[in-house]
Amino acid sequence: MAHSTLTPVFVGLRTGLHVLFSVLTVLVVVRVLVDRGPSMWIALTLTVVFAAVYVAGGRVARAGPRWRTVASASWIGALTVVWIALLVLVPEAAYLVFPLFFLYLHVLPGVVGPAAVVVATGVAIVALGVHGGFTVGGVVGPLVGAGVALLIGLGYRALAREAVEREEIVARLIATQGELAATQHEQGVLAERSRLAREIHDTVAQGLSSIQMLLHAAELADGERPGIEHIRLARATAAEGLADTRRFIRELSPPSLDQGLAAALRRLAESSTRDGLAVRVSVPDAIDLPMTAQSALLRIAQGAVANVVQHAGATIVRIVLTTDEHEARLTVADDGSGFDPVTVQSGAGRTDSFGLRAMRERVAQFGGTLDVDTALGRGTTLVAVLEVGR
């Protein structure tokens, strides 16, 4: 089990179990040596075998997932058989049922563990009664031990489930943190690239364009003046510089948006359309939005369509983008199976809750909102609104 705040508790319980087993095994050995009955060597041999089988449980715990259940059941069965054989010869072996209680509850699944505890309790009571007569202590002792073992065992199971759930929550938080960090880094890079593209366009590109026009005007004004070839060379050089500058501006734009957001959304629709699923896009051809907003809208659309393809079983998806001076509204609607928002919010459903969370984070960076209208059996409509006041 991975380390957690509950690991010391589990280590303490397991150490206590090993100590209890060792003490009771030594008690049985001492009792056999003191009595020195005719079956002493058989009893000692069975005790050694019992201890060896118990120690072999460490190898069972390291078995692969495919064989672990069978190996665990075989191990606990062998341990029980040796214990019963030892119980026939040594009545004090009945005390070994107490560590067996915890092993039954830990190893055997579901109600099988408690049922095994009940059966082992009956076997211990009968054995004590056969060897020394039925007494109140011989009946109450195993019953009390079984009750305590059941309480501790059930508590251990609850702690184990809590530890697993806690580890899953921590893993989700780490994954979300990494995804958010990557998103923020991506947004920062896009913002810087967009800023550089604007600066180059508004300064260097405009300057080169003006120089080229002025040189062209000078060339037209007097095509026969001395040094005209230098003016022509300067104009050609300015034209080449302007072409290079515009190429740099294009390269600073995200590759997926090199032809604009509308073209990127249409490519997304084409790549997602397949047998049984049609993706329709309605977007304006000219979209005047900051590059960071365009990138966020594209990523939201990609995540929404990916969820539809993976989980919804839809036949049609509609992507609609509208913009005005203050906001951009992206709608992704499908006619699929829908989902339970409460289940997805808890992370228990199949739908990608991390994807929805990432979409909300992207929208929140622009002071917008993300609304998901859905229910089981009636499709899903996702509306992302980004504040993009220009």
Side-chain angles (χ1 to χ4, degrees), residues 71-353:
S72 299
S74 301
W75 172 67
I76 200 69
L79 201 62
T80 302
V81 170
V82 177
W83 171 67
I84 293 175
L86 186 60
L87 192 60
V88 174
L89 301 176
V90 185
E92 285 74 15
Y95 299 125
L96 291 172
V97 75
F98 297 121
L100 285 177
F101 287 157
F102 297 103
L103 293 178
Y104 291 146
L105 294 172
H106 178 65
V107 173
L108 299 178
V111 298
V112 179
V117 170
V118 173
V119 174
T121 302
V123 172
I125 292 174
V126 171
L128 289 174
V130 170
H131 281 288
F134 290 94
T135 62
V136 174
V139 174
V140 174
L143 288 176
V144 172
V148 172
L150 283 171
L151 291 176
I152 296 177
L154 294 177
Y156 180 91
R157 285 187 177 183
L159 285 175
R161 285 195 299 269
E162 181 180 345
V164 172
E165 292 173 357
R166 184 173 299 181
E167 291 299 325
E168 291 178 351
I169 292 174
V170 170
R172 291 176 182 174
L173 289 175
I174 292 175
T176 302
Q177 184 180 23
E179 186 174 350
L180 292 179
T183 299
Q184 291 174 353
H185 175 74
E186 178 187 2
Q187 293 295 332
V189 170
L190 289 173
E192 182 62 15
R193 289 165 66 101
S194 179
R195 186 189 69 81
L196 288 174
R198 289 195 304 271
E199 292 294 332
I200 294 174
H201 177 270
D202 295 340
T203 57
V204 179
Q206 294 294 345
L208 289 172
S209 180
S210 298
I211 291 172
Q212 185 184 18
M213 287 189 296
L214 290 172
L215 290 172
H216 184 62
E219 182 183 0
L220 292 177
D222 188 359
E224 302 297 331
R225 64 183 296 176
I228 192 65
E229 66 275 7
H230 298 297
I231 294 178
R232 289 171 180 166
L233 178 60
R235 185 170 67 84
T237 303
E240 293 176 359
L242 180 59
D244 289 338
T245 302
R246 287 172 174 169
R247 177 171 57 82
F248 295 152
I249 293 173
R250 288 195 301 271
E251 290 177 352
L252 284 172
S253 301
S256 57
L257 294 170
D258 55 358
Q259 296 178 358
L261 178 58
L265 291 175
R266 292 189 180 100
R267 287 197 301 269
L268 172 63
E270 292 175 1
S271 63
S272 302
T273 298
R274 60 196 63 191
D275 292 341
L277 177 64
V279 183
R280 303 285 183 262
V281 177
S282 175
V283 295
D285 291 327
I287 300 176
D288 182 19
L289 293 174
M291 191 59 64
T292 52
Q294 294 188 42
S295 177
L297 289 168
L298 178 59
R299 296 291 181 257
I300 293 170
Q302 288 172 335
V305 173
N307 274 345
V308 173
V309 172
Q310 295 174 14
H311 306 295
T315 59
I316 187 168
V317 182
R318 291 183 174 84
I319 302 174
V320 179
L321 176 64
T322 58
T323 63
D324 57 30
E325 294 182 356
H326 304 289
E327 67 180 27
R329 178 181 296 268
L330 175 69
T331 302
V332 181
D334 69 80
D335 62 349
S337 58
F339 58 89
D340 181 4
V342 177
T343 302
V344 172
Q345 186 70 23
S346 66
R350 295 180 301 169
T351 303
D352 185 2
S353 59

Side-chain angles (χ1 to χ4, degrees), residues 6 22 34 58:
L6 294 176
S22 301
V34 170

Side-chain angles (χ1 to χ4, degrees), residues 19-35 44 47 86 90-96 98:
V19 171
L20 177 63
F21 174 84
S22 301
V23 170
L24 294 177
T25 302
V26 170
L27 174 64
V28 172
V29 171
V30 171
R31 181 62 177 176
V32 170
L33 293 176
V34 170
D35 287 349
L44 289 175
T47 304
L86 186 60
V90 185
E92 285 74 15
Y95 299 125
L96 291 172
F98 297 121

Side-chain angles (χ1 to χ4, degrees), residues 66-78:
R66 180 179 179 182
W67 302 103
R68 186 172 300 163
T69 302
V70 176
S72 299
S74 301
W75 172 67
I76 200 69

